[in-house]
Amino acid sequence: MALDNPRGALFRVLEPNRHSRVTFVELFFDLVFVYAVTQISHYLISHFTPLGAAQTAVLFLAVWWVWVYTAWVTNWLDPEKALVRGLLFALMLAGLVLSMSIPRAFEDRGLWFVIAYAAMQVGRTAFWFTVTPPQRAPVRRNAARILSWLSASAVLWLLGGLAEGPVRMALWCAALTLEYISPAVRFWIPGLGASTAEDWMVEGGHMAERCALFIIIALGESIVVTGATFAELDWTGANIAAFACAFVGTVAMWAVYFNRGAEAGSEMISRSSQSGLIARSAYTYLHMPIVAGIIVSAVADEIVLKHPLGHNDVKTAAVLIGGPFVFLVGTILFKREVRGFLQLSHGAGLLALAGLGWFATELSPLVLSALTSALLAIVAVWETLSLRAKPEPHASATSA
């Protein structure tokens, strides 16, 4: 029998042992973030300095946070309802403004960036609070807590948008810090206290599928960057080899994440009585390095395609090794959360990538790209063979 949905509220009707599908309007909403991810990778390429990398990190953390918060809310609210669809369309418009502002977010479009960001974060949460029926008092209190934290961080975002230079960076970092620690302290505020595990129950299969689809977005952006860059080049032997390495690396990352990993996560969170805690740790936090690693790898692929036989300086070596390294860090921690053990193949891959760092600058970008892609492929094959020999363990849900 379906769970209650009092007085026609806009919440999903959850049915036992039935997975809530990702709706077409959610997929439509995600198209904005295909554009946002592309803008972030292009920002790093055009600001290929330590400061540019730090600015890219701020932009990425903001984009990820606004997307994942929307994924949480649409896990509770029903996107098939007209009002919720209207919310998603409004968020898409703000998301386009956000994405278009990314290239000059630290220049003359900083205020546009933060107005769009704050409107998405505060507006979506205010909508959720408003449409929650009085009978769902714990949900309303949870929405009020989140709204309080996001409103406080919005002040810092807006002040940063009005400031310039290092002051803007400092204020935006403070705003992100405030937002990223808030789930860890369960959105505690005076008077309402902290949320409980029951406040964060989610439809686990839906949440797992939403985050897996964002991985597809990031991998798709990598394919687009590779194809668009290669199409504009002369197809020499070195460029063709660089293209092949980029493709193999992207396929290997897909295999590492989706070959048993994503499925195990979906099954585990769907069975758990503490689905909210798993969603917070395994999906909200631990998917960040997975996505970030894919984006950095896409940047590295573009660099190698344009200069396959050039000099491998420290910055180039850092993205060539750093992208796969950060990706594997995210996947090994994610799979530890859902399987209950550290994947040996991933640990070996991390050690091998760290070892490459000792002599990376002595290799050409093409050779280093070939080695990192080969390592990712080996990790994927190793994991597949090791898991085929034993059944998937069922880790118990624990607090993150």
Side-chain angles (χ1 to χ4, degrees):
M1 184 175 66
L3 302 182
D4 66 312
N5 191 30
R7 294 171 62 177
L10 302 180
F11 285 74
R12 287 178 181 268
V13 177
L14 302 181
E15 299 183 5
N17 303 316
R18 183 176 178 180
H19 168 53
S20 294
R21 67 180 180 86
V22 174
T23 61
F24 291 126
V25 71
E26 290 174 282
L27 297 174
F28 188 39
F29 169 80
D30 285 351
L31 292 178
V32 170
F33 288 85
V34 175
Y35 180 40
V37 168
T38 301
Q39 292 283 67
I40 290 170
S41 65
H42 288 172
Y43 188 92
L44 180 56
I45 291 170
S46 60
H47 299 78
F48 202 53
T49 64
L51 176 60
Q55 292 172 342
T56 303
V58 168
L59 297 171
F60 165 72
L61 291 173
V63 166
W64 170 256
W65 215 231
V66 78
W67 180 88
V68 82
Y69 266 51
T70 304
W72 275 87
V73 169
T74 54
N75 188 275
W76 294 319
L77 299 181
D78 185 359
E80 298 292 0
K81 302 287 186 178
L83 281 176
V84 181
R85 283 188 175 184
L87 169 68
L88 288 175
F89 295 150
L91 291 174
M92 287 179 69
L93 177 60
L96 278 173
V97 175
L98 179 86
S99 301
M100 291 185 293
S101 303
I102 285 174
R104 287 153 60 182
F106 285 92
E107 298 169 13
D108 60 333
R109 289 188 183 167
L111 192 57
W112 282 102
F113 178 85
V114 296
I115 288 174
Y117 180 84
M120 294 179 78
Q121 292 288 69
V122 176
R124 179 197 54 242
T125 312
F127 176 92
W128 172 38
F129 174 81
T130 302
V131 302
T132 302
Q135 301 96 310
R136 294 177 178 255
V139 179
R140 284 178 65 87
R141 288 195 296 270
N142 200 31
R145 293 186 191 100
I146 298 173
L147 184 59
S148 299
W149 280 82
L150 291 178
S151 297
S153 67
V155 174
L156 295 173
W157 281 109
L158 291 169
L159 289 174
L162 294 169
E164 296 180 357
V167 177
R168 174 177 294 180
M169 185 70 167
L171 286 168
W172 285 2
C173 287
L176 280 172
T177 301
L178 193 65
E179 292 190 21
Y180 271 77
I181 66 171
S182 56
V185 299
R186 294 184 296 157
F187 296 99
W188 181 91
I189 61 172
L192 290 179
S195 60
T196 65
E198 289 73 22
D199 295 333
W200 290 98
M201 293 298 290
V202 296
E203 203 294 291
H206 175 268
M207 179 61 75
E209 187 177 351
R210 292 292 286 125
C211 290
L213 288 171
F214 201 93
I215 301 299
I216 290 292
I217 288 173
L219 289 170
E221 192 275 338
S222 180
I223 293 290
V224 169
V225 167
T226 299
T229 303
F230 186 60
E232 296 178 354
L233 299 173
D234 294 330
W235 289 7
T236 65
N239 288 336
I240 292 172
F243 173 78
C245 290
F247 182 76
V248 169
T250 302
V251 171
M253 286 190 287
W254 179 92
V256 168
Y257 179 83
F258 283 98
N259 193 10
R260 303 285 291 273
E263 181 182 354
S266 180
E267 291 177 358
M268 192 266 196
I269 192 174
S270 297
R271 292 191 312 268
S272 175
S273 60
Q274 294 182 307
S275 59
L277 295 178
I278 299 169
R280 184 187 69 182
S281 57
Y283 291 97
T284 302
Y285 286 117
L286 295 182
H287 268 60
M288 281 187 303
I290 299 175
V291 177
I294 295 171
I295 293 174
V296 173
S297 295
V299 171
D301 290 340
E302 180 167 349
I303 293 172
V304 176
L305 280 166
K306 290 181 176 178
H307 309 286
L309 302 178
H311 174 62
N312 212 4
D313 58 16
V314 173
K315 292 186 294 183
T316 302
V319 292
L320 277 164
I321 294 176
F325 189 91
V326 172
F327 170 79
L328 284 180
V329 167
T331 53
I332 194 174
L333 294 176
F334 166 63
K335 292 175 183 179
R336 166 65 178 83
E337 187 74 15
V338 301
R339 286 179 177 154
F341 64 91
L342 292 172
Q343 194 69 41
L344 178 60
S345 58
H346 294 44
L350 289 170
L351 291 175
L353 287 169
L356 277 180
W358 288 103
F359 53 89
T361 55
E362 299 176 10
L363 305 173
S364 69
L366 176 58
V367 171
L368 188 56
S369 175
L371 290 173
T372 56
S373 295
L375 281 174
L376 286 171
I378 290 169
V379 168
V381 173
W382 183 350
E383 179 186 27
T384 300
L385 295 176
S386 66
L387 292 178
R388 186 176 295 171
K390 58 183 177 181
E392 193 77 61
H394 301 317
S396 60
T398 56
S399 176

